């Protein structure tokens, strides 16, 4: 780990992490961390040396011109510190690219740095392609293997997934072994519109973070992008009758599945979120 800046003592820090690649359908998760870094004025405090973890023929370095000078930006994973948050605590934002090799060492090194900063909670974000309609709220699943977190909310479920995993899963497992409470939040991105960006899925992840952290996050820019994205997919579907029929089938299936909740918890949660935004004075989007 390359420490670029001394963080000093942090206030009950938590971690929010996302990685580009297999874990990040529509780049929805990495976009959330980028957004948080912007609205919370985060500064880069550490980075992982890319030499040991990335295949540069797969993730090539980029040549850039910065302030009139040519430079090379190497693919890596950065840790950013946000002190200007609505949580009353500091947040370490982890944003990177899924490594090519040595995943266990990568996860161990990253977690060792986070533990040295006495992190209290880690939230990992992801996105997956799924059979969901773009016209409905994007589903977000929240899971954990921590008993206290599972008992704290009915919305948090134990993970039942079995199959291939990515660096998000490896990092979560390393955190579990080190007794760091960890939450995993995944947005379901419509597979027929899964190309990046996917701002509606990012907006859903932001909303879930607000629920988990009991705070208001400025989402104005992503809300506007999500509306434009949905209009664009609407236009695309309107030009292809097969796609339009498929979207209608997905709508019917999701509406049927969500019907028992539509008149209860879902409406109550949305109303609570509205009240928090009104009291905070933030734009509701």
């Amino acid at each position: 780990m390359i420490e670029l800046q001394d963080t000093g003592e942090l206030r009950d820090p938590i971690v929010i992490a996302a990685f580009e690649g297999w874990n990040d359908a529509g780049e929805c998760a990495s976009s959330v961390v980028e957004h948080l870094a912007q609205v919370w004025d985060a500064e880069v405090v550490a980075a992982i040396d890319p030499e040991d973890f990335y295949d540069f023929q797969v993730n090539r370095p980029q040549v850039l011109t910065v302030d009139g000078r040519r430079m090379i930006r190497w693919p890596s994973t950065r840790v950013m510190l946000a002190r200007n948050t609505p949580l009353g605590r500091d947040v370490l934002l982890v944003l990177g690219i899924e490594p090519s090799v040595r995943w266990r060492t990568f996860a161990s090194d990253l977690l060792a740095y986070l533990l040295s900063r006495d992190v209290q909670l880690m939230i990992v974000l992801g996105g997956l392609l799924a059979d969901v309609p773009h016209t409905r709220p994007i589903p977000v699943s929240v899971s954990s293997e921590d008993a206290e977190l599972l008992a704290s909310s009915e919305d948090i479920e134990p993970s039942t997934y079995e199959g291939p995993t990515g660096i998000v899963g490896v990092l979560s497992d390393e955190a579990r072994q080190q007794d760091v409470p960890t939450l995993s939040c995944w947005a379901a991105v419509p597979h027929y519109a899964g190309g990046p960006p996917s701002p509606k899925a990012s907006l859903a992840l932001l909303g879930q973070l607000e629920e988990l952290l009991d705070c208001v996050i400025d989402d104005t820019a992503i809300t506007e992008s999500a509306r434009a994205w949905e209009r664009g997919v609407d236009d695309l579907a309107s030009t292809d009758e097969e796609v339009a029929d498929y979207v209608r089938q997905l709508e019917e299936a999701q509406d049927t599945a969500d019907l028992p909740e539509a008149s209860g918890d879902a409406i109550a949660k949305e109303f609570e979120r509205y009240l928090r935004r009104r009291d905070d004075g933030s734009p509701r989007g």
Side-chain angles (χ1 to χ4, degrees), residues 9 24 58 73-74 80 88 110 136 161 170 193 196 200 238:
E9 186 175 352
D24 193 25
V58 175
R73 177 174 294 169
W74 297 89
M80 297 169 282
L110 178 56
R136 298 292 186 266
Y161 172 77
V170 173
K200 189 170 182 178
S238 68

Side-chain angles (χ1 to χ4, degrees), residues 47-86:
I48 288 183
D49 188 341
E51 194 75 20
D52 293 332
F53 301 106
Y54 293 96
D55 180 346
F56 296 138
Q57 289 183 324
V58 175
N59 296 294
R60 290 186 177 274
Q62 301 291 313
V63 179
L64 304 173
T65 301
V66 179
D67 296 329
R69 298 182 59 185
R70 301 279 284 175
M71 62 174 292
I72 292 180
R73 177 174 294 169
W74 297 89
S76 185
T77 293
R78 298 170 294 150
V79 180
M80 297 169 282
L81 173 59
R83 298 186 187 273
N84 183 28
T85 78

Side-chain angles (χ1 to χ4, degrees), residues 92-145:
L92 290 167
L93 300 170
V94 177
L95 180 62
I97 303 170
E98 185 175 67
S100 306
V101 295
R102 303 181 68 212
W103 283 18
R104 288 182 296 178
T105 302
F106 178 93
S108 178
D109 288 355
L110 178 56
L111 197 63
Y113 173 81
L114 298 176
L115 286 171
S116 73
R117 298 305 182 267
D118 195 29
V119 298
Q120 306 296 309
L121 171 71
M122 183 165 69
I123 302 175
V124 293
L125 307 179
L128 72 160
L129 299 177
D131 293 327
V132 295
H134 72 282
T135 53
R136 298 292 186 266
I138 297 293
V140 177
S141 62
V142 185
S143 64
S144 178
E145 296 186 37

Side-chain angles (χ1 to χ4, degrees), residues 132-136 138 189-195 197-200 225-240 243-244 247 251:
V132 295
H134 72 282
T135 53
R136 298 292 186 266
I138 297 293
V189 179
H191 72 86
Y192 57 88
S198 187
K200 189 170 182 178
S225 296
R227 289 172 176 164
W229 175 86
E230 188 166 348
R231 288 194 297 268
V233 181
D234 283 341
D235 292 343
L236 176 66
S238 68
T239 63
D240 190 318
V243 174
V247 171
E251 290 173 339

Side-chain angles (χ1 to χ4, degrees), residues 160-256:
T160 59
Y161 172 77
E162 295 182 352
T165 190
I167 193 60
V168 163
V170 173
L171 183 61
S172 297
D173 183 69
E174 181 71 18
R176 178 186 60 80
Q177 295 181 47
Q178 298 290 341
D179 295 323
V180 178
T182 302
L183 287 166
S184 181
C185 304
W186 285 74
V189 179
H191 72 86
Y192 57 88
S198 187
K200 189 170 182 178
S202 296
L203 187 63
L205 284 171
L206 271 180
Q208 188 62 68
L209 284 176
E210 288 185 324
E211 294 293 333
L212 292 170
L213 301 175
D214 192 24
C215 71
V216 173
I217 301 171
D218 182 2
D219 62 3
T220 307
I222 293 184
T223 297
E224 293 173 356
S225 296
R227 289 172 176 164
W229 175 86
E230 188 166 348
R231 288 194 297 268
V233 181
D234 283 341
D235 292 343
L236 176 66
S238 68
T239 63
D240 190 318
E241 189 60 33
E242 290 186 5
V243 174
D245 288 340
Y246 181 60
V247 171
R248 282 192 289 269
Q249 292 174 23
L250 293 176
E251 290 173 339
E252 292 173 1
Q254 184 162 324
D255 290 346
T256 300

